[in-house]
Amino acid sequence: MSEHPERAIVRRAIDEQLTGLPVTTNPLAILLNMRILAARDAWVRIGYTPPECLTQGNQVVQGGIISAMLDFGMIFAAFSKAPADATLATVAQTTNYFRAASMGELTVEAELEKVGRRLINARASLFGPDHVLLASASAPIAVIPLPRA
C-alpha cells in the first residue's frame, strides 16, 4: 500500500513550507496549471491558470471547471489531515457562483470546518486576479481506508 500522491504533495508543501509547488499528480491539475501557493494543516491556497480551451465562447471559465477548482482545494485541504492509509472522495458539493471568472490567474482558499474519522467537512472560495470573490463551495468528504496488501 502506498500513500495517495495528492496527500504526499500536500504534506510535502506543509512540512517543507514550500510555495508555488506544481501539482502534477492529475491530468486536470496539469491542464489547469495548478500550484500549491501555501499550505498548513486544514488549510490550502492553490493557484490556477486555466487555458482558453476551458472557457465558454465569451472567454469566461466554464462553471464545471470552477467547481472542479473548488473541489481540488477542499480535497487538498482534507489530505492535510487524512491518514496516510486512506483516500478521499467528495460526497456532495454545493457551489455558489457570484461573478464570471475571466481568463487569468485564479486562486482558491480552502479550509476544513470539521474533521472526523470517516467524514471531513470543507469549504472553499475562488478569487480572481483582483482578489474579488467569484465563487464558493462546501462539501462533505469521505475518508476511505485503502485495502491492506
Side-chain angles (χ1 to χ4, degrees):
M1 170 182 57
S2 62
E3 179 180 31
H4 192 291
E6 292 178 350
R7 182 189 185 278
I9 198 169
V10 170
R11 290 306 323 162
R12 181 172 169 232
I14 293 168
D15 296 343
E16 299 177 26
Q17 298 180 349
L18 300 174
T19 60
L21 182 62
V23 177
T24 58
T25 55
N26 176 304
L28 182 56
I30 293 167
L31 182 63
L32 289 168
N33 189 29
M34 183 176 167
R35 297 155 329 277
I36 299 175
L37 302 177
R40 60 181 183 265
D41 282 340
W43 178 88
V44 295
R45 179 182 299 126
I46 297 177
Y48 303 94
T49 310
E52 187 174 349
C53 67
L54 299 179
T55 63
Q56 299 177 12
N58 57 357
Q59 297 299 301
V60 298
V61 180
Q62 195 271 343
I65 297 302
I66 290 170
S67 186
M69 289 187 284
L70 290 159
D71 183 53
F72 266 131
M74 291 184 288
I75 287 289
F76 273 58
F79 268 126
S80 77
K81 299 297 279 183
D85 63 347
T87 190
L88 302 173
T90 303
V91 175
Q93 180 173 323
T94 300
T95 302
N96 297 298
Y97 302 92
F98 306 118
R99 293 178 180 223
S102 298
M103 297 265 315
E105 181 66 20
L106 301 173
T107 305
V108 165
E109 290 189 15
E111 65 183 330
L112 306 182
E113 296 177 319
K114 185 172 187 326
V115 178
R117 286 184 328 112
R118 296 186 182 247
L119 200 63
I120 296 172
N121 289 292
R123 63 182 169 161
S125 298
L126 175 76
F127 300 94
D130 51 3
H131 304 290
V132 171
L133 178 64
L134 303 175
S136 67
S138 60
I141 298 168
V143 179
I144 304 166
L146 294 170
R148 297 197 184 267

